[in-house]
Amino acid sequence: EDKVVQSPLSLVVHEGDTVTLNCSYEVTNFRSLLWYKQEKKAPTFLFMLTSSGIEKKSGRLSSILDKKELSSILNITATQTGDSAIYLCAVVVSSNTGKLIFGQGTTLQVKP
Amino acid sequence: NAGVTQTPKFRILKIGQSMTLQCTQDMNHNYMYWYRQDPGMGLKLIYYSVGAGITDKGEVPNGYNVSRSTTEDFPLRLELAAPSQTSVYFCASRGGLAGGWYEQYFGPGTRLTVT
């Protein structure tokens, strides 16, 4: 059975801290891995990663896939209160349908 | 573009009632998906569609039905609502461009309570 596991499940930090969120997967047919941010409503897209191992960056956020370890990390530097959200990791398990298997999510709270 | 829209935003159902959750996208996307999100559980795929007239089951289809008569609309039907269907429901769509781009665009969600 395909499985995606995120850790930690929740995290509390102070503004300015750096955080690393983890996502590991066991799937039969890996295509890509996506990160989403969810603030109280719809998930919004952050990054898509492939087996190429190329790091993706956007401002203070960065992410990379380790295909040997079957995992990905999402780094957030100099955290701000606006980074408080649930971060979701999802793996594409079918290129024909684009079906995603999601992890449980990591709830990040950034305190002032 | 409005993107993906869902109605209603909130709904309370009694056990045994039925309802339809509406989802519409204006991006001419072929692929559409329905998820449910329970606290601490991430998103679980209920049903999906790869184009008008084509639907298939996801991970948790029991108690639900879908149809896809047009590219824009992908309604989710709950028959005989049960407390276990209390959840937040998200609809999503994807364009399916060449090159393996898999980003899905999500609607704002419907919070459903069954009592």
Side-chain angles (χ1 to χ4, degrees):
Chain A
E1 181 185 345
D2 294 335
K3 189 166 60 172
V4 178
V5 177
Q6 292 184 243
S7 64
L9 294 181
S10 64
L11 192 56
V12 180
V13 300
H14 287 92
E15 274 192 316
D17 289 348
T18 294
V19 299
T20 299
L21 309 183
N22 298 282
C23 175
S24 63
Y25 55 90
E26 292 179 31
V27 301
T28 306
N29 193 21
F30 175 86
R31 293 299 180 190
S32 298
L33 185 146
L34 286 74
W35 284 97
Y36 281 86
K37 179 182 181 182
Q38 185 178 23
E39 297 173 88
K40 293 190 177 180
K41 39 187 180 181
T44 54
F45 174 79
L46 292 174
F47 301 115
M48 188 179 93
L49 303 165
T50 66
S51 297
S52 67
I54 294 174
E55 184 182 24
K56 297 293 179 72
K57 289 185 177 182
S58 177
R60 296 176 292 102
L61 278 67
S62 64
S63 184
I64 193 163
L65 183 82
D66 185 334
K67 63 180 178 180
K68 288 184 182 176
E69 295 296 325
L70 305 183
S71 64
S72 173
I73 59 171
L74 175 67
N75 281 321
I76 309 175
T77 60
T79 52
Q80 302 171 356
T81 55
D83 294 326
S84 296
I86 299 173
Y87 290 85
L88 296 164
C89 169
V91 172
V92 180
V93 295
S94 167
S95 57
N96 290 338
T97 65
K99 284 170 60 177
L100 298 177
I101 302 293
F102 279 84
Q104 320 96 298
T106 293
T107 300
L108 173 66
Q109 183 183 358
V110 181
K111 292 186 171 182
Chain B
N1 281 353
V4 181
T5 57
Q6 292 183 237
T7 57
K9 287 188 171 61
F10 305 95
R11 183 72 186 267
I12 298 175
L13 278 183
K14 293 190 186 306
I15 294 171
Q17 288 184 323
S18 300
M19 76 164 294
T20 299
L21 281 65
Q22 301 292 345
C23 174
T24 301
Q25 53 92 8
D26 63 359
M27 297 174 282
N28 201 32
H29 284 172
N30 287 326
Y31 299 85
M32 295 188 75
Y33 310 85
W34 272 107
Y35 296 92
R36 60 176 288 172
Q37 186 176 32
D38 301 315
M41 297 295 291
L43 278 74
K44 299 288 187 186
L45 182 65
I46 306 171
Y47 271 94
Y48 66 96
S49 170
V50 300
I54 307 170
T55 63
D56 205 349
K57 296 177 181 178
E59 301 169 83
V60 290
N62 291 345
Y64 307 95
N65 267 306
V66 294
S67 59
R68 184 98 181 268
S69 57
T70 67
T71 298
E72 295 78 19
D73 300 306
F74 190 39
L76 178 72
R77 178 84 178 160
L78 278 72
E79 303 282 2
L80 298 175
S84 60
Q85 293 178 304
T86 294
S87 190
V88 179
Y89 291 84
F90 289 101
C91 178
S93 72
R94 179 177 77 92
L97 296 174
W101 187 254
Y102 296 108
E103 177 187 357
Q104 294 183 13
Y105 297 81
F106 285 83
T110 294
R111 184 174 295 274
L112 175 68
T113 302
V114 182
T115 60

